[in-house]
Amino acid sequence: MVWEWVPRNVDRIVELLGEHLLLSLVPVLIALVFAVPLGWLANRSAPARAVLIPASGLLYTIPSLALFVMLPGVLGTQIKSPVNVIVALTIYTVALLVRTIADALAAVPSMVVAAATAMGFKPARRFVSVELPLAVPVLVAGLRVATVANISLVSVGALIGLGGLGGLFTDGYQRNIPSEILTGIVLTVLLALLADAVLLAAGRFATPWDRARRSGA
């Protein structure tokens, strides 16, 4: 191992780490915007669920590299455009979250929904004020899976000239620098663990009632 490679390339490592974060997390934020209403629709309508759930599962089976290569032809972007990776990972994240959100909303006790309705809550207000907050624990669990999966999948983009820390894998392999490859692996794993821990903490912060229930159990 040539560990002198790491201090000599700190600037490049930091740049790739920033790129990896951008390509991993932006799709999660965009996917939430689409997945929440789609999950709500899948929960409210049996015909919609019969279409959306299988379709989301089918989307997730598309190989990531094939999607990265196919999207430029669909979007009219350059093969090395970050937009391709962001759109591909947004599709995967939506595919993961639609079922999660639908199941989370379905798990909200019907008595709670009925009580909110009896108090005069309109459907939109009831969803935002009652159903969605109660679904947060399951939603956060889905977000944790999707975020960690994205952090892993971003590296595949290195095969087409993108991919953040994945660039350390391909470059290290081509130049036979094991320390570069290992640096990429370690940082990717640490990034995934950190993102998972942050989401877990955010979920607990957003659900004080769940914390109280757990502490009293």
Side-chain angles (χ1 to χ4, degrees):
M1 291 288 188
V2 184
W3 290 112
E4 292 80 5
W5 179 90
V6 176
R8 290 201 308 264
N9 293 271
V10 169
D11 290 344
R12 179 166 178 261
I13 292 171
V14 171
E15 179 184 353
L16 292 176
L17 181 61
E19 178 183 317
H20 205 105
L21 275 170
L22 178 70
L23 295 175
S24 301
L25 302 184
V26 169
V28 175
L29 298 177
I30 298 173
L32 268 177
V33 175
F34 291 97
V36 169
L38 289 175
W40 175 85
L41 182 61
N43 177 56
R44 296 280 294 183
S45 167
R49 184 182 183 91
V51 173
L52 290 172
I53 300 303
S56 61
L58 183 63
L59 284 173
Y60 203 75
T61 64
I62 301 173
S64 56
L65 183 57
L67 197 56
F68 292 158
V69 173
M70 180 181 67
L71 280 174
V74 176
L75 301 175
T77 55
Q78 297 296 318
I79 187 68
K80 292 188 177 182
S81 172
V83 172
N84 301 323
V85 176
I86 290 174
V87 171
L89 294 184
T90 298
I91 291 172
Y92 285 135
T93 307
V94 170
L96 275 175
L97 291 182
V98 167
R99 176 186 286 275
T100 297
I101 293 170
D103 291 344
L105 293 173
V108 174
S110 57
M111 291 186 298
V112 174
V113 177
T117 303
M119 292 173 63
F121 281 57
K122 300 298 183 183
R125 184 186 174 196
R126 186 183 64 210
F127 174 72
V128 173
S129 302
V130 179
E131 297 176 66
L132 188 58
L134 290 176
V136 163
V138 179
L139 174 57
V140 169
L143 279 175
R144 290 170 63 191
V145 173
T147 302
V148 170
N150 278 5
I151 290 172
S152 174
L153 286 172
V154 163
S155 300
V156 179
L159 296 175
I160 59 171
L162 292 166
L165 295 171
L168 300 179
F169 304 158
T170 54
D171 186 67
Y173 175 77
Q174 292 167 357
R175 299 168 60 195
N176 193 26
I177 306 177
S179 55
E180 183 176 4
I181 299 172
L182 186 58
T183 298
I185 293 172
V186 170
L187 288 178
T188 301
V189 171
L190 289 177
L191 188 60
L193 291 174
L194 178 61
D196 185 66
V198 169
L199 285 171
L200 178 61
R204 288 178 176 174
F205 178 79
T207 54
W209 60 87
D210 195 52
R211 295 201 310 271
R213 179 182 62 81
R214 290 175 183 273
S215 62

